[in-house]
Amino acid sequence: MKSLLLVTSMAIISQFAQADTISNIDAAANHMDVKSLQSLTEQGDAYQQAYAGYRLAISANILGQRELAISALESARESLEPLTTSNANADNLALLSSVYGMLIGLDYSKGALYGPKAASAIEQAKALDPTNPRVPLVQAIAAFNTPETYGGSKQRAVDLSSQAIELYAIPCDNICWGHAEAYTWRGLAKQSLGDAEGAIADWQQALAVEEDYGWAQFLLQQNSQSAQR
């Protein structure tokens, strides 16, 4: 009985530690703190390091540091590919799919190599856990960024983001990132479809979920400045 309690306690502590590390990564990403994100890519387990690399790549790309973004994504890929072989769960596979997608976005010549891998990873993730909100979130991002001639769709991005948002209502205490991001991507998709009011409402909702979410703050500020011109 004592052994069982010890194992259970250790598992709970591990979950809280992982959630805390993910929160630290999100906090650094919200401020595009490249230095902290670089440090976080060397901390925690393989998933945490890969997630830090993913967020580092996004921040670096926004800041115009393309080579750093690609390097961070390649490191994330190298961590996730063996991890999804040894521990194929929905979160590992969804993050890997998104990493593949970003690598394609930064270098279209990688599409033939990583496109099928991204599609396969997200389909495996969906089959393993249909209730994981990061699965439709990653699908929404892919639908938004893929040209329509290759199957992309802004309306599909709206629908998938909405599906993700519904799934984020399920309580989570471990890997929980992406809720505010889902609102932000849905807002971008709505904006592309001509629904400016809907976009603003979604970006405001993203801040209701995560008050210091830098990307939504930037988009609202950008929209306000455009409206004043």
Side-chain angles (χ1 to χ4, degrees):
M1 185 66 171
K2 287 182 179 179
S3 297
L4 178 60
L5 287 172
L6 179 60
V7 170
T8 303
S9 298
M10 291 292 288
I12 292 171
I13 290 169
S14 177
Q15 279 193 346
F16 278 119
Q18 183 164 48
D20 189 52
T21 301
I22 296 294
S23 295
N24 290 339
I25 294 168
D26 286 340
N30 284 342
H31 296 93
M32 288 189 286
D33 186 346
V34 168
K35 192 170 183 178
S36 292
L37 287 168
Q38 286 176 308
S39 177
L40 286 161
T41 62
E42 300 175 359
Q43 300 175 29
D45 61 25
Y47 180 88
Q48 293 162 355
Q49 291 178 5
Y51 180 60
Y54 173 70
R55 290 299 177 198
L56 171 59
I58 293 173
S59 295
N61 190 45
I62 291 171
L63 295 170
Q65 300 176 37
R66 183 175 179 275
E67 293 305 315
L68 176 58
I70 292 173
S71 174
L73 287 169
E74 288 291 357
S75 293
R77 178 186 63 76
E78 289 170 3
S79 294
L80 287 166
E81 284 180 339
L83 184 61
T84 55
T85 300
S86 63
N87 184 19
N89 65 40
D91 273 306
N92 295 341
L93 286 159
L95 183 58
L96 178 59
S97 180
S98 200
V99 166
Y100 284 142
M102 279 198 68
L103 282 166
I104 295 169
L106 290 168
D107 183 355
Y108 289 133
S109 70
K110 302 285 187 181
L113 173 63
Y114 291 139
K117 290 185 177 183
S120 175
I122 202 64
E123 285 304 316
Q124 289 180 63
K126 186 176 181 180
L128 286 168
D129 185 0
T131 66
N132 187 307
R134 280 160 295 285
V135 172
L137 172 59
V138 170
Q139 290 178 306
I141 295 169
F144 183 91
N145 288 316
T146 303
E148 288 190 10
T149 51
Y150 292 98
S153 165
K154 298 299 189 290
Q155 184 56 55
R156 180 164 165 73
V158 170
D159 296 341
L160 286 164
S161 296
S162 297
Q163 182 182 339
I165 289 164
E166 289 180 9
L167 291 173
Y168 277 111
I170 299 172
C172 173
D173 57 9
N174 190 6
I175 296 173
C176 306
W177 62 267
H179 194 175
E181 194 171 354
Y183 278 110
T184 306
W185 279 108
R186 190 172 74 173
L188 285 168
K190 286 180 178 180
Q191 182 185 54
S192 296
L193 292 168
D195 182 6
E197 290 185 6
I200 291 169
D202 273 343
W203 298 333
Q204 290 172 336
Q205 189 59 45
L207 293 177
V209 170
E210 196 172 333
E211 62 182 1
D212 63 343
Y213 190 59
W215 192 19
Q217 290 175 341
F218 169 77
L219 290 167
L220 285 167
Q221 183 180 25
Q222 187 181 56
N223 182 79
S224 178
Q225 290 172 348
S226 298
Q228 292 172 8
R229 289 173 187 167

